[in-house]
Amino acid sequence: ANEFSINVFPNPASKRTNINIKGLNNKAQITISDIQGRIIWSDETFENNYELNTSNMQSGVYFIKITSENIVKTQKLIVK
């Protein structure tokens, strides 16, 4: 399995944020969870750049989890 890295910008976000997955060779599962750990959104992508619409999310702290080939990366996202 190859390593990959993620970059989330802008962060804090208001209307949308971009998730850049560097080094992705296969599909990735993107999961957004709230501070209590509840999954509020999930999708799969083969793309290195993914735009997430945050305009319908309440203000607060969320966690973006990217899983690919048994590698998991997590990034904190603040929605204002």
Side-chain angles (χ1 to χ4, degrees):
N2 293 323
E3 278 292 317
F4 62 91
S5 62
I6 58 174
N7 184 28
V8 177
F9 60 94
N11 191 4
S14 55
K15 291 185 175 30
R16 69 184 56 85
T17 193
N18 295 294
I19 303 169
N20 178 262
I21 310 169
K22 187 173 182 174
L24 182 66
N25 294 324
N26 289 299
K27 75 177 177 181
Q29 178 75 33
I30 302 174
T31 306
I32 310 293
S33 58
D34 64 14
I35 198 81
Q36 285 85 25
R38 294 178 297 221
I39 295 173
I40 61 163
W41 183 87
S42 184
D43 196 10
E44 286 187 343
T45 185
F46 287 93
E47 302 297 322
N48 290 320
N49 292 297
Y50 194 92
E51 184 176 277
L52 175 67
N53 181 354
T54 58
S55 63
N56 58 350
M57 295 167 68
Q58 292 185 359
S59 296
V61 176
Y62 297 88
F63 295 96
I64 300 172
K65 182 171 81 171
I66 311 289
T67 307
S68 180
E69 296 185 79
N70 297 320
I71 299 171
V72 179
K73 302 281 184 174
T74 304
Q75 178 93 25
K76 183 164 65 170
L77 171 66
I78 299 169
V79 175
K80 56 181 180 172

